[in-house]
Amino acid sequence: EDAIQDSISLMRMHLFKHLIPSFNQTGHVMASADQSATSPGKKRRRSVEGTAPAKDLKKVYKPILKTLDPQLILMERMATLVENLPLDDQQVVLVTSGALKALEIDCNASTATNGDSSLPSQLQHAAIAIITAAFRRYPSHRDTVLEDLFGIIPSLPTGKRSLRAFPVRYSSAASPSALQDFNAQTVGPLLSNGNVPHCIQMMTAVIISLIQACVVRPAFEV
């Protein structure tokens, strides 16, 4: 019980306090605000609001982002935990609300990833897996998950590249090429650029996953 609670707290706190500010490069904004609030004079306030704190904290982002792999492993294990072990109500709320915060990462804002938007999107994919597992196993918490989901909408990134970061896999047809040809003929002409969409928004992926999690296979009597 203690190990489960500590794992949930570690996942949440490392995501909230370290990874999201590092990916979005907002840690220096919070640090500057805290320091300017405690500075007594105007001259001190002006010096604090300069570029020095931002430059100093950008050096911290790189080692923090190196912890992405252990965080992904933790979140993957967390999804397996939610699927296979019973959790109490508080643990379900903590793990789902914590995973939803990963959707606030702007995949295009951070230069610390050297333009690799797949790194933050991996966290979002792992978060979707956790949310979907909880939504499927705990129907009584579905209203809470939806309320938390609507609550983070104002904090979602608005960049064009960040909006469509969930890749669509062409695996539901008889052959991948057949589905691509079908999409090219039906969806392609509706788009301004005429291209087949290969990525969808993270919020769209979450909603589709939650809908699929509610599907129940009927039991037929023989």
Side-chain angles (χ1 to χ4, degrees):
E1 186 72 19
D2 293 339
I4 292 176
Q5 188 65 35
D6 292 341
S7 299
I8 295 175
S9 300
L10 175 61
M11 183 200 73
R12 286 171 53 91
M13 296 303 296
H14 188 49
L15 187 63
F16 292 3
K17 300 295 185 179
H18 305 134
L19 288 175
I20 292 179
S22 297
F23 277 121
N24 293 347
Q25 292 194 359
T26 55
H28 56 276
V29 176
M30 293 182 291
S32 299
D34 294 339
Q35 294 179 15
S36 61
T38 58
S39 59
K42 293 183 179 179
K43 293 183 179 180
R44 175 61 179 169
R45 187 177 297 109
R46 290 176 182 175
S47 63
V48 169
E49 292 176 352
T51 58
K55 291 181 178 179
D56 292 339
L57 280 179
K58 284 183 179 180
K59 297 179 181 179
V60 183
Y61 294 154
K62 188 174 182 180
I64 289 178
L65 295 179
K66 289 182 179 180
T67 64
L68 176 61
D69 289 339
Q71 178 74 5
L72 287 174
I73 294 175
L74 177 59
M75 295 180 71
E76 290 172 358
R77 302 283 175 85
M78 194 64 62
T80 304
L81 174 70
V82 173
E83 291 177 352
N84 296 281
L85 291 180
L87 302 177
D88 58 36
D89 294 340
Q90 183 180 5
Q91 291 173 338
V92 175
V93 172
L94 289 175
V95 73
T96 53
S97 61
L100 281 171
K101 293 289 290 186
L103 299 179
E104 298 180 4
I105 297 176
D106 190 346
C107 298
N108 193 34
S110 177
T111 57
T113 59
N114 296 323
D116 189 0
S117 60
S118 64
L119 295 179
S121 63
Q122 291 176 18
L123 274 179
Q124 296 175 335
H125 295 169
I128 293 176
I130 294 174
I131 300 166
T132 304
F135 206 78
R136 181 186 300 111
R137 183 176 175 85
Y138 301 97
S140 60
H141 287 275
R142 290 176 179 175
D143 291 342
T144 304
V145 173
L146 293 177
E147 291 176 0
D148 294 338
L149 183 63
F150 283 109
I152 67 168
I153 289 179
S155 303
L156 295 179
T158 57
K160 291 183 178 180
R161 290 182 59 185
S162 299
L163 288 177
R164 300 184 182 275
F166 190 91
V168 178
R169 296 178 178 85
Y170 299 97
S171 59
S172 60
S175 63
S177 60
L179 186 56
Q180 290 180 2
D181 295 340
F182 175 77
N183 286 341
Q185 297 175 1
T186 57
V187 182
L190 301 177
L191 303 177
S192 58
N193 54 8
N195 295 326
V196 180
H198 296 284
C199 295
I200 60 177
Q201 297 183 21
M202 282 294 175
M203 182 60 68
T204 303
V206 172
I207 295 174
I208 293 176
S209 298
L210 297 184
I211 294 174
Q212 292 175 345
C214 298
V215 176
V216 179
R217 179 178 296 180
F220 297 98
E221 296 182 359
V222 179

